[in-house]
Amino acid sequence: LCEAGADRFARDAEGQTPLRVCAKYPHPRVLALLLHGASERDASAALFVAALRGRAENIRLLAGGGADLEHRG
């Protein structure tokens, strides 16, 4: 989809980005694609989502990919 021009940084009606939505699910390869070029703020929000869902592999990926582990907000 990204190669076809889909906007990885678009937001849905609730303000969620594809990265944040993907962090909920066990799809780390897709998450890695979305993480590339993501802002630190979005990566940190996705890390929070992954932690809430107990997605250990996503947590490792996001923590190693630029998410701020001390992000508050």
Side-chain angles (χ1 to χ4, degrees):
L1 289 173
C2 291
E3 290 176 7
D7 184 0
R8 297 181 301 155
F9 308 110
R11 294 180 180 270
D12 66 12
E14 296 175 357
Q16 299 297 305
T17 63
L19 180 65
R20 293 179 196 182
V21 173
C22 187
K24 298 176 186 179
Y25 304 101
H27 302 293
R29 290 176 54 191
V30 176
L31 188 67
L33 291 172
L34 295 171
L35 182 58
H36 180 72
S39 70
E40 181 181 299
R41 180 181 178 124
D42 198 29
S44 299
L47 176 63
F48 180 77
V49 170
L52 286 175
R53 294 289 180 112
R55 301 287 180 206
E57 193 167 352
N58 290 356
I59 293 167
R60 283 190 291 275
L61 181 65
L62 291 159
D68 179 3
L69 300 178
E70 303 295 324
H71 181 74
R72 305 248 189 258

